[in-house]
Amino acid sequence: MAKSRSIVELITRYDLGGVDKIRSLHLSPPHSDSQTLVYIGTSSGSLLLLSLDTSTNIVARLGTTVSLSASPVESIFVLGDGRGKVVALCNGFLFLVDSLLSQPAKRLGGLLKGINVVAKRARREDSSSADYLLPSSSDESSSSNKFLQMLGGGNRVSGVKGNDGGCVFAVAIGERILLVEIEDGKGDSFVVLKEIVGIFGGGVKSLVWVDDYVVAGTDNGYSLISCVTGQSGVIFTLPDVSAPPLLKLLRKEWKVLLLVDNVGVVVDTNGQPVGGSLVFRRRPDSVGELSFYLVTVGDGKMEIHQNKSGACVQSVGFGPEGCGPSVLAVDEAGDGNLLAVTTMSKVIFYRRVPYEEQIKDLLRKKRYREAISLVEELDLEGEISKDMLSFLHAQIGYLLLFDLRFEEAVNQFLKSESMEPSEVFPFIMRDPNRWSLQVPRNRYWGLHPPPAPLEDVVDNGLAAIQRAIFLRKAGMDTPVDEEFSSNPPSRADLLESAIKNMTRYLEVSREKDLTHPVREGIDTLLMLLYRALNRVEDMENLASSVNNCVVEELETLLNESEHLRTLAFLYASKGMSAKALAIWRLFAKNYSSGLWQDSDDLVPYLHENELIRLSGKEAAAAEAARILEEPCDPELALQHLSWISDINPLFAIQVLTSDKRTEELLPEKVIQAIDPQKVEIIQRYLQWLIEDRDYNDPQLHTSYALSLAKSALECVEIQNGNLETDARGREAHDCNVGSISLFESDVRERLQTFLQSSDLYDPEEILNLIEGSELWLEKAILYRRIGQETVVLQILALKLEDCAAAEQYCVEIGRPDAFMQLLDMYLDPQNGKEPMFKAAVRLLHNHGESLDPLQVLEKLSPDMPLKLASDTILRMLRARVHHHRQGQIVHNVSRALDVDSRLARLEERSRHVQITDESLCDSCFARLGTKLFAMYPDDTIVCYKCYRRLGESKSVTGRDFKRDALIKPGWLVNR
C-alpha cells in the first residue's frame, strides 16, 4: 500500500440540525467565480439549498425548504440548459423545481410513476451518437415519427419541441426503461423518446447513460442496452449473495465503474472490461471521480484511490464508525476540485490540494519516488503543461542532488526540456569564473540551497545525514534516507558518483543547440571532470574531436597533471600546430633517449579508419604527421620532417604526399631538409611528384633516375659481395632486409619501369653513372633512347642472351637488315665467345621469311652443324617459294575480280527500259512521253529536269550511292 499523502483538505463543515437525515446531495456549477450551490435531499422528502463561498469557506443557507413528499429524496439533477431548473426523484416520481427553490415543486405525472432510478444522459462533445430529440414544428411531425420509428418499437411520441440541453434522462420503472426528455412550460412537461421493456430481472437498481448505450444494474447483474436498436447484452452476472449493484460514470476517460461488493470493474462504453480490477478495503456507499482519482465513502471514512491501480493514497475520517450510509458529491460540472460528503445531518466540504502543493509536501518529506510518480501521472493525464513538467523535473533533480542521489538527480535533469546546461556550472567550478554570467537565475520553490561545488555538496550532505541520525536517536522525527542512515557511504564514493553523473549530463548536453559561450563551458568543464576521474581516453577523444574547449582554462592544469597527449590534441584541434608538434617531438625524444619507457600496452592509433597500436614514439610521430598533413605552415613541416622520418619513414611520406595541403612544399627545400642517407624517402617523394602531381621538370626526372640508378648499383654490389654496410648501419634500401620499405617492388624494377615510361630525363647522364656496371637491361633501355640499335642488340643478344627480347626489338626496328645483323651476332659473337647456333636457328625458324636465303647462306659458318641448319634452311626456302606462289594467286584473283566488275558495270549500263505513254517520273510524276529521262541503280526513273536537280548519285528515294553502295545479287559471283 502506498504511503498516505494529502490529496484533499478539509475546508468547512455545515450542520443542518434537527433529526432529519441527509439522503442525497448535489453540487451545481458555480454561479460566480467563488459561489457553489449545494442541493440537499432529506429522508423526510424535503429539498434544501446551501451556498458555499470558496474564497471564504463560508456556508450559508438559501431560500426556503421545498417539500416534495413524505418519502426520501433519492437523487437530484440540475438541468444543464440554462433554465434554472432542478429535477429530483422522490417517492417514485420526478419533481421539477426552480434552482433557488423559491417556487413550489411540480410533479411530472403520466407514465412517470413508480420510478426506481434515474440517470442523466452523458454525451461526449466529439461523439457521433444519435440525436433523440424532436423537430421544433408540428409540420415536421411526420418526419419525426419516421426517425423515432427507426429507434425501435414501443415508443410513445408527443409532438412537442425538444432541446438537447442536458434534459434527457433514462428512467427505470420496474423492469422497463423509458428514455424521456424533460419539458417545461406547457403540455405534459415531458416526452417519451423510447421505451425498452422485458429484458431485466428483479428491477433496475442502478443506471448510467453514455452516448447511445445504457448500462443497467439489477440484482442479477449488469447489462448493456443499445438506445438505437433496443437490444441488450449481459456484461456479467452477480453472485447469489452480493451487495446491491452500484454504477459510476468516469467522465475523464468516459468509462463506467461496476461494483461487485468491494471489487470495481471498469468497462468502456461497449461493455468491454478495460484494465484490471480495483479492490477497495470495504464496500463503498458512494463513489466519485476527482481528477484522476477515485473517491469512495462509507462507514465514516473517505478513501482516495489511484484510478489505474486502485491503491489508496489518502484516507480521511469524517464521522464515527457505524454512522450510517454516507453520500458523496463532486463538482464534476465545475473545475472538479470540490467535493462534499455527508453524515446523518452534517455536510463536510473538501477541496483538492493543488498538485504543486502535493509535490512540495512529498519533497519536504524526502519522498522523491512518490513525487516523481505523481509528476509522471500528471503528465500522463494531461494535467500539467510541458513547461511545468520540465520545471518539476529540474526541481526534483536539484533536491535529489543535494540529498546525494546523483544518478537519480541527473536522470531528472535530462527529462527537463527547459533546464539549461549552464545551471550545473556552479557545481563544477567555483564562482566567479569565465561562465558565471551564463548561469541563469531560475526561480525554483526554495526547497534546496543555492548551487555549490560538488565537494561542498557532498560534505554538507554527509553532515546533514549525521545530524538527522543524531536527531532521530534523540527521538525527533526527521526525514532521512533510510539507506544512507543504515549504511553511510564514504566521501570518496559519493564524490566519484557525483562527478560521473555530472559528466553524463554534460555529455548529453553537448548534443543540444546552445550558444557558443555555453558550449565552451560544457566542453571545458567536461574536460575537467574527465581529468578528475582520470579518464584519459575520454580526455583524448574530446580534445582530438571538434570541441569548444577554452585552451587558456586547461593548459596549465593539463601540464601540471602531465596529460600532455591530451594537451597536444587540444592544441591541434585549435589550430595551434606549433605547440602541438613541440609536445609530440618531446614525446619522441624522451622515448628515444630512454628517459621514458614504453609500457606493455601499445597506444591506439586510428589509421585510414583502421585502429592499430603503436609504441609511444611511433604514436608521437604518427600524430605529428597527422597535423602536418593538414594545411599548415610549410616551414613547420620542413622543421619536423627529420625527426618524424627517423622514427618511421612512412609517416614522413604521409606528410610529403598529403593532398590536404593548400600550400605546396618546394621540392628543392624538401630534398634539402631530408637526410641524404634516407634515399628511399627522397625517391618516394620524387616518384609522387612525377607520377601523381605530373611534374615535368627534366632536372627532377633526371634526379629521380640517378637516385634509382645509385640504389640499384648498391644493391648489385651488395648481392655480389663487393660492398659491406658501414659501421653506422647505413640503409641499404631494398637490399637491407629488416628495414621499413616504402615500395612494393625492388629498386631495379622501379628503375627499369621509370626509364621506359619517362621521356624527360637525360639518358647520357644516367649512362655515365652505370657504364661500368652490370645493369645491362637498364643500359639497353638507355642506348635505345639515344638510338644506338647495334649496342642494344649486342646487350640483349650477347650480354643478356634474351633471344625473345632481341627478336622483338628487331621487329620494332622493322628493317630486314636488323634480323641479318642479329644473325651475324649469333654466328660471330667475338670476344672469344662461342657461336650461338641454337639462337641462330631460333631466329631463322621464327623470322626466316624476312631474310634473304642467299645472304643467310653466306653468313652461315662452316663450323655450324649441318643437322641444325638443314631443316631450318629447307623450311626457309619452302616458305620463300610458298610466299611467291601466294603472291601470284592473289594477283590473278584480283585481275579476275576486276574483269568481273567491269563486265557487271557494262551489263548494268546496257539494260533496256521500256517507256510508254503512261510512264511517269518518280519524282515530279509528269508523263515522260518522248522526254529525256534517267534511271538510277535502284530502278527509279526520273525526267531530265529532276535528274539535274537530284544529281547523278542520289535517287528520288534519298539514297546516296556514293556513301551507300548498292550490290545486286549476281554481281561479282556470277562467274
Side-chain angles (χ1 to χ4, degrees):
M1 183 182 69
K3 293 181 180 179
S4 177
R5 68 172 188 261
S6 298
I7 306 298
V8 297
E9 59 182 356
L10 175 68
I11 56 175
T12 188
R13 301 171 184 267
Y14 187 80
D15 192 348
L16 298 181
V19 295
D20 206 359
K21 297 180 181 179
I22 299 175
R23 185 61 177 266
S24 56
L25 186 66
H26 184 83
L27 303 181
S28 74
H31 283 200
S32 64
D33 292 339
S34 61
Q35 188 181 40
T36 299
L37 298 181
V38 183
Y39 295 93
I40 300 175
T42 67
S43 298
S44 60
S46 298
L47 200 59
L48 308 177
L49 178 61
L50 304 178
S51 174
L52 171 63
D53 190 336
T54 54
S55 62
T56 61
N57 297 333
I58 297 176
V59 181
R61 185 165 177 174
L62 302 179
T64 59
T65 301
V66 176
S67 179
L68 304 180
S69 173
S71 299
V73 179
E74 301 294 342
S75 55
I76 304 170
F77 303 93
V78 175
L79 298 183
D81 56 357
R83 303 181 195 178
K85 297 294 183 180
V86 176
V87 176
L89 174 61
C90 181
N91 196 27
F93 293 95
L94 290 180
F95 291 85
L96 195 64
V97 64
D98 66 286
S99 60
L100 298 179
L101 306 187
S102 59
Q103 300 293 330
K106 178 181 179 182
R107 191 179 76 178
L108 302 181
L111 296 173
L112 302 183
K113 58 183 178 180
I115 299 174
N116 299 335
V117 64
V118 177
K120 189 177 178 182
R121 186 190 189 198
R123 186 177 182 182
R124 288 176 284 188
E125 293 182 0
D126 58 346
S127 173
S128 58
S129 56
D131 191 347
Y132 302 96
L133 307 182
L134 300 179
S136 58
S137 66
S138 57
D139 295 339
E140 298 174 353
S141 60
S142 61
S143 62
S144 145
N145 292 337
K146 291 179 182 178
F147 176 72
L148 294 172
Q149 291 290 338
M150 180 190 69
L151 299 179
N155 299 302
R156 301 184 182 182
V157 181
S158 173
V160 185
K161 177 182 177 182
N163 192 345
D164 190 10
C167 53
V168 181
F169 293 83
V171 178
I173 304 174
E175 296 184 0
R176 61 195 179 111
I177 292 178
L178 299 180
L179 308 182
V180 301
E181 177 192 358
I182 302 294
E183 172 74 15
D184 180 40
K186 62 179 181 178
D188 293 333
S189 299
F190 73 93
V191 58
V192 178
L193 302 177
K194 189 176 185 66
E195 180 179 359
I196 304 171
V197 298
I199 56 176
F200 309 108
V204 179
K205 302 295 180 63
S206 185
L207 203 61
V208 167
W209 186 4
V210 185
D211 293 338
D212 292 341
Y213 294 93
V214 172
V215 182
T218 69
D219 291 334
N220 295 336
Y222 294 98
S223 301
L224 181 71
I225 306 105
S226 170
C227 301
V228 177
T229 63
Q231 296 178 350
S232 67
V234 177
I235 299 177
F236 61 81
T237 58
L238 293 175
D240 294 337
V241 179
S242 64
L246 180 62
L247 293 167
K248 174 59 186 175
L249 172 63
L250 306 179
R251 289 178 176 270
K252 190 170 185 62
E253 296 183 347
W254 292 98
K255 298 174 184 176
V256 181
L257 176 67
L258 288 62
L259 278 173
V260 182
D261 291 331
N262 67 325
V263 178
V265 179
V266 180
V267 299
D268 58 18
T269 54
N270 295 320
Q272 297 298 320
V274 180
S277 301
L278 307 178
V279 181
F280 306 111
R281 298 180 184 178
R282 60 182 65 85
R283 160 76 182 196
D285 297 331
S286 183
V287 180
E289 184 182 23
L290 183 71
S291 184
F292 49 86
Y293 297 103
L294 290 178
V295 185
T296 62
V297 295
D299 202 17
K301 286 188 177 182
M302 175 175 62
E303 294 181 345
I304 301 177
H305 305 263
Q306 293 178 342
N307 61 355
K308 296 287 192 265
S309 63
C312 180
V313 293
Q314 185 180 9
S315 180
V316 180
F318 58 86
E321 290 189 21
C323 63
S326 302
V327 181
L328 170 68
V330 181
D331 178 18
E332 295 177 349
D335 58 10
N337 292 329
L338 183 66
L339 60 88
V341 296
T342 67
T343 59
M344 300 287 288
S345 58
K346 295 180 181 180
V347 183
I348 303 99
F349 295 94
Y350 295 89
R351 177 174 53 207
R352 181 167 70 93
V353 178
Y355 63 81
E356 295 96 335
E357 297 301 324
Q358 296 181 41
I359 296 171
K360 285 181 183 179
D361 182 60
L362 291 172
L363 295 178
R364 290 189 186 99
K365 297 176 180 177
K366 298 185 181 295
R367 292 161 59 180
Y368 301 118
R369 288 186 176 86
E370 293 179 54
I372 294 171
S373 176
L374 177 57
V375 170
E376 292 173 348
E377 197 168 6
L378 288 167
D379 180 41
L380 184 63
E381 298 294 339
E383 293 286 333
I384 55 176
S385 64
K386 286 188 175 180
D387 290 339
M388 178 53 70
L389 178 65
S390 296
F391 172 86
L392 291 173
H393 280 306
Q395 174 65 85
I396 296 172
Y398 274 112
L399 287 168
L400 286 167
L401 188 144
F402 282 100
D403 214 31
L404 309 185
R405 295 178 170 271
F406 300 109
E407 182 177 359
E408 298 174 57
V410 169
N411 290 342
Q412 294 301 310
F413 287 158
L414 294 175
K415 291 180 181 179
S416 176
E417 296 180 2
S418 62
M419 180 177 174
E420 299 182 32
S422 56
E423 292 184 45
V424 304
F425 288 0
F427 292 103
I428 305 170
M429 181 175 285
R430 292 186 184 275
D431 285 332
N433 57 62
R434 181 189 291 263
W435 298 282
S436 295
L437 296 179
Q438 303 298 325
V439 180
R441 305 304 180 197
N442 290 341
R443 298 177 63 89
Y444 289 98
W445 285 340
L447 301 178
H448 60 81
L454 291 175
E455 296 89 340
D456 297 348
V457 172
V458 172
D459 292 338
N460 296 335
L462 288 174
I465 293 173
Q466 296 299 327
R467 185 167 52 253
I469 293 174
F470 175 78
L471 293 175
R472 176 169 289 188
K473 290 180 179 179
M476 298 181 64
D477 186 14
T478 305
V480 65
D481 190 296
E482 297 295 339
E483 181 182 351
F484 283 175
S485 63
S486 60
N487 184 22
S490 67
R491 182 182 186 277
D493 291 341
L494 286 173
L495 192 57
E496 182 181 2
S497 174
I499 296 174
K500 282 183 178 180
N501 286 285
M502 199 61 70
T503 301
R504 180 165 61 95
Y505 178 71
L506 292 182
E507 287 174 341
V508 176
S509 299
R510 292 192 76 211
E511 307 301 324
K512 296 182 179 180
D513 186 13
L514 304 168
T515 62
H516 182 68
V518 175
R519 287 184 175 276
E520 285 186 340
I522 289 175
D523 285 359
T524 305
L525 297 180
L526 188 58
M527 183 69 76
L528 294 178
L529 295 177
Y530 284 151
R531 174 178 171 269
L533 295 172
N534 199 30
R535 288 165 56 174
V536 177
E537 186 173 350
D538 290 326
M539 293 172 65
E540 294 178 359
N541 289 338
L542 175 59
S544 59
S545 63
V546 178
N547 64 79
N548 295 282
C549 293
V550 179
V551 178
E552 295 81 359
E553 295 285 338
L554 295 172
E555 56 183 344
T556 301
L557 294 172
L558 294 176
N559 255 320
E560 292 175 353
S561 60
E562 297 185 353
H563 289 104
L564 297 182
R565 279 178 56 88
T566 300
L567 185 57
F569 285 130
L570 189 59
Y571 282 145
S573 69
K574 298 303 177 183
M576 305 167 71
S577 301
K579 289 187 175 183
L581 289 168
I583 294 177
W584 293 125
R585 187 168 189 173
L586 176 64
F587 265 82
K589 180 180 179 181
N590 290 340
Y591 280 119
S592 299
S593 64
L595 185 61
W596 292 353
Q597 296 295 328
D598 273 332
S599 62
D600 294 335
D601 296 330
L602 298 181
V603 180
Y605 175 74
L606 189 64
H607 177 66
E608 297 181 353
N609 296 324
E610 180 181 357
L611 187 65
I612 60 177
R613 294 193 172 272
L614 305 174
S615 65
K617 64 179 182 181
E618 286 182 327
E623 296 298 345
R626 179 180 288 174
I627 295 173
L628 295 175
E629 286 180 49
E630 302 294 332
C632 64
D633 183 6
E635 294 298 327
L636 201 61
L638 298 176
Q639 178 184 349
H640 291 272
L641 191 61
S642 177
W643 69 267
I644 294 175
S645 62
D646 288 341
I647 296 173
N648 192 323
L650 290 173
F651 298 147
I653 292 300
Q654 290 178 18
V655 175
L656 294 174
T657 61
S658 173
D659 293 329
K660 303 175 184 177
R661 188 176 292 108
T662 55
E663 188 175 353
E664 290 287 344
L665 301 175
L666 296 178
E668 299 82 6
K669 291 188 176 181
V670 172
I671 295 174
Q672 290 175 4
I674 301 175
D675 185 353
Q677 300 296 328
K678 297 183 174 63
V679 179
E680 272 202 345
I681 296 178
I682 298 175
Q683 291 176 0
R684 180 66 185 88
Y685 174 62
L686 293 175
Q687 182 189 37
W688 175 75
L689 289 176
I690 294 170
E691 296 181 1
D692 295 353
R693 308 297 289 181
D694 297 328
Y695 268 63
N696 295 323
D697 183 3
Q699 183 61 39
L700 203 66
H701 282 245
T702 302
S703 298
Y704 181 46
L706 287 171
S707 178
L708 290 175
K710 290 177 182 178
S711 298
L713 288 173
E714 290 184 12
C715 286
V716 171
E717 291 176 357
I718 292 174
Q719 290 169 356
N720 294 335
N722 295 327
L723 183 65
E724 298 287 340
T725 56
D726 57 26
R728 293 176 301 169
R730 187 183 59 175
E731 294 180 13
H733 319 300
D734 300 315
C735 305
N736 185 8
V737 178
S739 65
I740 299 177
S741 177
L742 304 180
F743 301 95
E744 295 180 358
S745 58
D746 64 27
V747 65
R748 290 199 61 183
E749 183 179 346
R750 282 183 277 120
L751 175 60
Q752 294 163 10
T753 302
F754 178 71
L755 293 177
Q756 290 175 338
S757 61
S758 174
D759 297 325
L760 299 177
Y761 61 87
D762 184 356
E764 293 184 356
E765 191 171 349
I766 314 301
L767 276 172
N768 291 336
L769 178 65
I770 65 173
E771 186 62 40
S773 70
E774 299 294 324
L775 302 178
W776 294 111
L777 182 56
E778 289 81 353
K779 291 179 184 180
I781 298 172
L782 292 170
Y783 280 121
R784 180 179 178 180
R785 287 286 185 193
I786 61 178
Q788 296 190 20
E789 298 174 355
T790 303
V791 179
V792 174
L793 282 176
Q794 287 176 345
I795 293 174
L796 294 177
L798 304 180
K799 294 295 182 180
L800 299 177
E801 296 185 0
D802 189 346
C803 300
E807 293 174 11
Q808 179 61 33
Y809 183 59
C810 291
V811 172
E812 293 174 5
I813 293 174
R815 300 193 311 273
D817 64 304
F819 291 103
M820 289 303 301
Q821 187 177 9
L822 179 61
L823 180 63
D824 186 51
M825 290 180 185
Y826 284 150
L827 296 177
D828 186 14
Q830 297 181 359
N831 295 329
K833 193 173 182 179
E834 293 294 329
M836 302 170 64
F837 294 131
K838 290 185 178 180
V841 170
R842 170 192 168 94
L843 176 62
L844 294 174
H845 177 76
N846 293 335
H847 302 282
E849 68 276 5
S850 301
L851 300 174
D852 186 346
L854 294 178
Q855 293 182 4
V856 171
L857 291 173
E858 291 176 358
K859 292 288 184 181
L860 289 179
S861 170
D863 298 332
M864 184 175 180
L866 184 61
K867 183 178 181 181
L868 291 175
S870 60
D871 293 339
T872 301
I873 294 173
L874 182 60
R875 187 164 52 251
M876 183 178 67
L877 293 174
R878 287 175 178 172
R880 194 80 173 180
V881 173
H882 175 70
H883 181 71
H884 173 69
R885 290 175 178 175
Q886 274 188 328
Q888 289 180 325
I889 293 172
V890 170
H891 174 71
N892 292 330
V893 169
S894 298
R895 286 193 61 188
L897 289 175
D898 179 64
V899 172
D900 220 13
S901 61
R902 288 172 182 271
L903 181 59
R905 181 181 177 86
L906 179 63
E907 289 179 351
E908 190 67 20
R909 285 182 173 275
S910 61
R911 278 199 301 155
H912 294 282
V913 180
Q914 183 177 1
I915 302 296
T916 65
D917 293 338
E918 303 299 326
S919 299
L920 302 177
C921 173
D922 289 333
S923 177
C924 65
F925 302 107
R927 294 184 181 274
L928 294 178
T930 59
K931 297 179 181 179
L932 290 174
F933 66 91
M935 186 176 72
Y936 290 96
D938 59 356
D939 297 336
T940 56
I941 300 174
V942 295
C943 64
Y944 187 74
K945 181 179 180 181
C946 292
Y947 167 74
R948 293 288 304 274
R949 178 173 56 83
L950 293 172
E952 64 179 8
S953 62
K954 191 172 183 179
S955 75
V956 68
T957 61
R959 184 167 186 169
D960 190 344
F961 298 106
K962 287 184 177 180
R963 298 182 179 179
D964 185 13
L966 179 66
I967 305 298
K968 289 187 175 181
W971 288 2
L972 305 181
V973 293
N974 56 356
R975 293 175 178 82

